[in-house]
């Protein structure tokens, strides 16, 4: 049930802690305080099945019946499950995206990056980093990892189409387009290398495995492209900082990537559903209430604070945080920590190093950044640069 008459949480929290707030426009609770967000992401009282609840709230009975194949496809994404099902489904995928596997990909990521930088240089000035490089690298890397022959523009069109439907399930035109994408993705994944070793014996197995890798494709495209674009924008926007990258000073590249993850995180929010009636931090939640969990410490319409701290150690992989870094939720937290975090970081670091080596005199063009209008994603539609001659 929806909670249009949800009570205002009483001010019973410790000083400095931002209580959950009911957002009338979004029809959900918003948890912006980082300490409370950590609790929500690890609490059994908050379930991950937001798609199912959104289908009920925002799609008509007729639309759910018409697009049942699409909704079943999205229900099978393991990010929509909780333990123990989520743990079992995630484990084999997590092994494939391990830090050691990502290190083994470094030569291929460098090749792909060089290909995309060559394409960038071949374009008319000012060159646009987003389609040629950010979307090119993220698309080609994910196509390589999964083992499919689909060009980046098609992959990103799939991802954006699914994003539109997930964000506005009440629109039948978005549902129709998302259904088309589901069919195209499923056909492209037939025989994909990444599916080797995953269950395909029964129709149910094949559906689950296909949905899992469609989810991985989706997750590795828009957010990674956003990170790559924001990393280039930040580096070229500060000449002193860019010089440290050009000189390849120790820690310059990794430090810059981490700072961008905090100041311009690709994903701003995660969704959860109240699993039962409960009191939480002074707020009275009802079973089925949607909860928007901020990964930035900000509300849905707030600007992301660039002063935020650096990421803490990943609670799943154990990857260490930078010395002195404060805890935050850039890649989520707990059992649902992003499996693609090492790969996204690697792509951003490789791009910075190859860009600096090849175009050390690169600069931002006038009015370089064109940001996309999205409440959940922090990403550029365009980023125009002057490469300054090839090294």
């Amino acid at each position: 049930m929806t909670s249009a008459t949800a009570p205002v949480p009483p001010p019973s929290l410790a000083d400095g802690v931002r209580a959950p707030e009911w957002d009338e426009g979004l029809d959900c609770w918003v948890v912006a305080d980082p300490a409370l967000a950590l609790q929500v992401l690890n609490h059994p009282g908050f379930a991950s099945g937001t798609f199912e609840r959104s289908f009920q709230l925002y799609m008509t009975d007729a639309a759910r019946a018409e697009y049942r194949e699409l909704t079943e496809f999205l229900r099978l994404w393991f990010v929509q499950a909780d333990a123990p099902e989520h743990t079992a489904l995630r484990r084999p995928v997590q092994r494939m995206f391990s830090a050691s596997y990502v290190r083994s990909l470094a030569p291929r990521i460098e090749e792909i990056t060089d290909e995309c930088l060559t394409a960038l240089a071949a374009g008319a000035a000012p060159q646009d980093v987003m389609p040629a490089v950010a979307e090119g690298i993220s698309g080609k890397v994910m196509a390589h990892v999964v083992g499919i022959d689909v060009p980046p523009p098609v992959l990103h069109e799939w991802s954006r189409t699914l994003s539109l439907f997930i964000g506005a399930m009440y629109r039948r035109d978005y549902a129709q387009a998302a259904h088309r994408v589901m069919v195209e993705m499923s056909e492209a994944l037939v025989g994909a290398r990444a599916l080797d070793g995953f269950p395909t014996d029964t129709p149910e197995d094949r559906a689950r495995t296909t949905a899992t890798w469609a989810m991985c494709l989706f997750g590795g495209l828009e957010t990674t492209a956003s990170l790559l674009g924001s990393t280039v924008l930040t580096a070229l926007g500060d000449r002193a900082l860019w010089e440290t990258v050009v000189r390849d000073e120790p820690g310059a590249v990794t430090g810059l990537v981490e700072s961008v993850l905090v100041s311009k995180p690709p994903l701003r929010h995660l969704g959860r559903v109240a699993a039962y009636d409960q009191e939480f931090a002074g707020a009275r939640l009802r079973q089925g209430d949607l909860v928007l969990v901020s990964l930035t410490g900000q509300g849905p319409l707030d600007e992301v604070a660039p002063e935020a701290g650096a990421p803490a150690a990943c609670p799943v992989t154990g990857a260490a945080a930078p010395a002195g870094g404060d805890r935050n939720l850039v890649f989520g937290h707990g059992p649902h920590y992003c499996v693609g975090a090492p790969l996204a970081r690697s792509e951003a670091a490789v791009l910075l190093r190859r860009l600096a080596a090849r175009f050390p005199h690169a600069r931002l063009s006038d009015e370089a950044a064109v940001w996309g209008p999205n409440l959940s994603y922090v990403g550029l539609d365009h980023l125009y640069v002057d490469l300054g001659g090839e090294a």
Side-chain angles (χ1 to χ4, degrees):
M1 69 184 74
T2 187
S3 296
T5 59
V8 176
S12 58
L13 299 173
D15 290 344
V17 175
R18 185 174 176 181
E21 299 174 358
W22 179 257
D23 190 295
E24 293 287 351
L26 297 174
D27 200 28
C28 70
W29 291 100
V30 175
V31 176
D33 185 83
L36 296 184
L38 283 169
Q39 293 181 42
V40 170
L41 295 177
N42 280 305
H43 196 293
F46 296 91
S48 302
T50 55
F51 287 172
E52 175 63 34
R53 186 60 178 141
S54 296
F55 298 152
Q56 297 168 1
L57 291 174
Y58 306 126
M59 295 182 74
T60 64
D61 291 342
R64 288 201 302 274
E66 183 177 358
Y67 296 104
R68 182 177 180 276
E69 189 178 3
L70 172 63
T71 58
E72 288 300 318
F73 172 76
L74 293 174
R75 283 190 186 98
L76 291 175
W77 288 15
F78 69 70
V79 293
Q80 294 294 300
D82 292 301
E85 180 185 15
H86 171 265
T87 305
L89 294 171
R90 175 192 171 100
R91 188 176 293 116
V93 176
Q94 186 171 312
R95 285 197 296 267
M96 290 198 63
F97 284 92
S98 66
S100 60
Y101 172 68
V102 171
R103 285 193 295 270
S104 76
L105 287 177
R108 181 59 185 139
I109 295 175
E110 290 178 354
E111 290 175 1
I112 288 172
T113 302
D114 286 341
E115 292 170 5
C116 293
L117 289 175
T118 296
L120 180 70
Q127 288 91 351
D128 189 351
V129 168
M130 294 311 295
V133 175
E135 294 180 6
I137 292 172
S138 56
K140 289 185 177 184
V141 168
M142 286 308 301
H144 174 78
V145 168
V146 178
I148 57 175
D149 185 18
V150 180
V154 174
L155 292 174
H156 281 277
E157 190 271 332
W158 288 350
S159 181
R160 283 190 285 266
T161 299
L162 288 176
S163 295
L164 286 173
F165 172 68
I166 291 169
M169 292 180 178
Y170 55 86
R171 290 191 51 161
R172 294 177 70 86
D173 56 337
Y174 285 178
Q176 183 179 28
H179 185 273
R180 169 188 58 82
V181 164
M182 175 203 67
V183 173
E184 293 176 2
M185 291 180 85
S186 299
E187 291 174 349
L189 286 165
V190 173
R193 181 178 60 252
L195 275 63
D196 294 345
F198 283 74
T200 55
D201 294 337
T202 67
E204 293 77 14
D205 288 340
R206 289 192 291 274
R208 171 71 76 180
T209 295
T210 299
T212 293
W213 283 103
M215 180 200 71
C216 291
L217 267 181
F218 174 81
L221 291 168
E222 295 310 299
T223 52
T224 302
S226 296
L227 171 62
L228 299 182
S230 294
T231 299
V232 173
L233 172 65
T234 302
L236 295 183
D238 184 327
R239 298 313 297 177
L241 182 61
W242 177 240
E243 288 302 322
T244 67
V245 174
V246 171
R247 293 192 298 268
D248 198 17
E249 294 185 5
V253 167
T254 55
L256 176 55
V257 171
E258 294 306 315
S259 72
V260 171
L261 282 167
V262 173
S263 63
K264 299 180 181 67
L267 185 64
R268 298 187 65 174
H269 308 100
L270 289 175
R272 289 294 184 267
V273 180
Y276 45 76
D277 293 353
Q278 58 185 290
E279 292 271 350
F280 178 74
R284 182 167 301 181
L285 280 65
R286 299 182 177 93
Q287 181 178 1
D289 280 356
L290 290 177
V291 182
L292 198 64
V293 183
S294 173
L295 303 182
T296 65
Q298 307 294 323
L301 301 177
D302 296 333
E303 294 294 327
V304 178
E307 300 80 14
C314 166
V316 175
T317 66
D326 296 327
R327 170 172 292 182
N328 69 62
L329 303 170
V330 174
F331 286 111
H333 187 73
H336 284 266
Y337 187 85
C338 177
V339 296
L343 182 58
R345 284 187 165 111
S346 178
E347 291 177 53
V350 168
L351 172 56
L352 274 180
R353 291 192 173 99
R354 304 305 289 180
L355 179 67
R358 187 163 174 178
F359 304 109
H361 304 297
R363 292 181 178 274
L364 296 176
S365 299
D366 294 337
E367 300 181 0
V370 179
W371 292 94
N374 195 304
L375 288 179
S376 294
Y377 293 99
V378 178
L380 292 152
D381 282 348
H382 302 282
L383 178 61
Y384 298 105
V385 298
D386 175 1
L387 296 177
E390 189 166 343

